[in-house]
Amino acid sequence: MRPGYLQLRQLETGAPIVGAGLMSGTSLDAVDAALVEIVLSREPPVKLIAYHETEISHELRGRIQTAMHPRRSSVDLICQLNVELGELYAEAVCHVAKKGGVSLDGIDFIGSHGQTIYHIPHPQLERDWKTASTLQIGEPCIIAERTGITTVADFRLRDMAAGGVGAPLIPFVDAFLFADPQRDVLCQNIGGIANCTLIRRDGRILAFDSGPGNMVMDLLVRRFRPDLRCDVDGRLARRGQVLDYLLTEALAHPFFAQSPPKATGHETFGGEFVDWFVRASRDAAIEDLIATAAELTAGSISDAYRKWIFPSATPTEVIVSGGGVKNSFLMELLRNRCPEVRWRKIDEWGIPSDAKEAMGFSVLGYATLCGIPANVPGATGANHAVVLGKIIPGRRIDKLRSFPAALEQLY
């Protein structure tokens, strides 16, 4: 069976399709919305029309962080946030449509990742949890009702039902955009979590989360410098000194030794990890903490390459995306640790770094509506490829005529 990304590239399509992708990640700073045009016969097949970030307020961010915390969360809080975030995502679609000069009626579908509240990629028998599980909120029924647009959401659970860890999902998009039969391609996203995708020249894919991206740095900044959202361009880290004893202890975390497929998130490298990181630092200065956290990100990425990428592949460059590309200090660390590859921003391919994951969920939503399996078993560990997500029909059911597979799934 051909990989899903090849099935999608080889579909016969008519008129251009306009989709919106929505993503709010572990940084919790904004809802990213990307408006795209998809023409499979064109290179590249996905063109960005507009991108917009709808800010998540300080108050809402605090409640989401509370909902993510196992000991402080509550079912009523998660219930309320599910609907509130659905409203915010619908607002984000309206903003990006206006920015792109496209009416809501001109958008064929929405692909929404939602906000991950908790992700348990493996059973935890010591807690009597016999199944893996995950929860993303941001109610898609609200999005579909407010915008009138068919919405695809809740992508991760179908992969987990098929035996996967539910992440990462963007490797399908990386392969759809960058697969090359002449060379091995390596893509690196540095969002809250860092994840990489190796697309071998023979089409086989290896992808996994390598550990924290910006998450630990961002949480430290918000704890000690609430006037800042992040360490802009790595300026604080650049003034600090790496605490070798803390870095060594942090890199001893069992996640880093775990072989792929593997996925992680806030539940592993979020608030509780940062609590430990601060305690173990022995009252270090904030600049030293952030410098060490930056080295943790760079070190875990480079270590992952040397363990699982470079022994079996020969990429000559890394296509980097996500907020981490704006941190020049972090990028310097990566270049110093892996000088054998050229580090290139995805912007060079006409895809803004910040917009890549939101664009990715428009592609994943499109694949679902076309009936194309979009998980990558080599990345998630699933037993087989599956069509991802749930479809919430919009008011214009006639628009689904462009997607016969979606009509078959619904009716």
Side-chain angles (χ1 to χ4, degrees):
M1 182 178 178
R2 289 173 301 157
Y5 71 89
L6 287 178
Q7 293 181 49
L8 189 60
R9 288 300 300 263
Q10 293 166 5
L11 282 181
E12 293 184 9
T13 57
I17 299 295
V18 176
L22 298 172
M23 174 74 188
S24 58
T26 50
S27 62
L28 300 177
D29 52 359
V31 177
D32 301 336
L35 189 66
V36 304
E37 181 185 70
I38 301 174
V39 180
L40 295 178
S41 59
R42 179 184 63 197
E43 287 297 336
V46 183
K47 176 184 175 183
L48 182 67
I49 300 171
Y51 173 71
H52 183 81
E53 295 181 1
T54 300
E55 184 178 1
I56 296 176
S57 69
H58 178 75
E59 183 272 337
L60 178 57
R61 183 185 308 122
R63 287 193 290 133
I64 297 171
Q65 288 174 330
T66 298
M68 291 175 168
H69 198 289
R71 291 189 294 276
R72 297 202 303 265
S73 187
S74 63
V75 291
D76 55 341
L77 175 60
I78 294 174
C79 183
Q80 177 64 25
L81 284 174
N82 181 46
V83 173
E84 281 189 48
L85 285 174
E87 299 282 4
L88 188 63
Y89 293 162
E91 182 183 322
V93 174
C94 295
H95 285 314
V96 78
K98 183 177 181 180
K99 196 170 185 177
V102 176
S103 69
L104 292 179
D105 196 50
I107 299 175
D108 296 296
F109 72 92
I110 296 167
S112 177
H113 170 266
Q115 176 63 60
T116 297
I117 291 298
Y118 213 72
H119 187 75
I120 305 170
H122 301 284
Q124 297 184 11
L125 300 180
E126 70 278 7
R127 304 175 74 173
D128 202 30
W129 293 350
K130 298 181 175 63
T131 59
S133 58
T134 191
L135 179 63
Q136 285 74 44
I137 62 173
E139 180 52 54
C141 290
I142 298 289
I143 303 171
E145 178 63 25
R146 298 291 179 263
T147 64
I149 303 168
T150 294
T151 301
V152 186
D154 216 2
F155 292 90
R156 298 191 184 278
L157 272 169
R158 182 67 187 278
D159 178 81
M160 298 182 86
V165 296
L169 296 181
I170 293 298
F172 176 91
V173 181
D174 290 332
F176 177 72
L177 294 174
F178 297 115
D180 186 337
Q182 303 302 317
R183 64 192 184 108
D184 297 329
V185 178
L186 181 56
C187 299
Q188 178 70 55
N189 185 69
I190 309 175
I193 293 298
N195 44 70
C196 61
T197 302
L198 171 67
I199 309 134
R200 295 183 177 91
R201 64 193 72 194
D202 63 5
R204 290 178 300 133
I205 298 171
L206 172 66
F208 54 91
D209 290 351
S210 56
N214 305 312
M215 179 182 291
V216 176
M217 293 181 281
D218 287 350
L219 289 174
L220 287 167
V221 169
R222 289 170 184 169
R223 179 174 301 198
F224 293 101
R225 288 292 304 273
D227 56 314
L228 300 175
R229 287 172 59 180
C230 64
D231 182 17
V232 178
D233 199 32
R235 293 169 192 162
L236 291 172
R238 200 177 292 279
R239 297 203 301 263
Q241 296 291 323
V242 174
L243 304 171
D244 290 333
Y245 64 89
L246 180 58
L247 178 63
T248 299
E249 196 169 351
L251 285 171
H253 191 288
F255 176 81
F256 299 123
Q258 182 183 330
S259 298
K262 59 179 182 175
T264 190
H266 197 278
E267 62 283 346
T268 303
F269 293 108
E272 292 186 316
F273 180 84
V274 170
D275 289 344
W276 167 82
F277 198 80
V278 172
R279 289 195 307 271
S281 74
R282 307 169 195 167
D283 298 320
I286 177 61
E287 293 84 358
D288 296 345
L289 284 168
I290 297 176
T292 307
E295 195 68 75
L296 174 63
T297 293
S300 55
I301 290 172
S302 62
D303 288 351
Y305 288 1
R306 301 200 187 286
K307 288 178 183 176
W308 296 299
I309 301 294
F310 294 158
S312 63
T314 56
T316 59
E317 62 186 18
V318 183
I319 303 171
V320 196
S321 60
V325 302
K326 296 180 179 179
N327 186 328
S328 63
F329 179 74
L330 176 60
M331 295 308 298
E332 287 172 19
L333 293 177
L334 287 166
R335 290 187 179 98
N336 290 337
R337 281 181 168 268
C338 291
E340 61 268 58
V341 289
R342 182 183 175 199
W343 295 79
R344 301 178 64 186
K345 294 182 182 180
I346 199 171
D347 305 65
E348 295 181 40
W349 283 264
I351 301 173
S353 297
D354 287 342
K356 190 245 184 147
E357 285 202 296
M359 291 178 69
F361 278 94
S362 68
V363 173
L364 290 170
Y366 182 62
T368 297
L369 292 168
C370 293
I372 300 293
N375 66 329
V376 177
T380 67
N383 297 321
H384 54 269
V386 290
V387 178
L388 302 176
K390 301 168 183 173
I391 302 171
I392 312 299
R395 285 191 287 274
R396 291 283 307 276
I397 296 295
D398 59 300
K399 280 185 172 288
L400 287 177
R401 291 173 185 156
S402 300
F403 306 103
L407 287 173
E408 289 178 13
Q409 291 177 66
L410 287 168
Y411 304 110

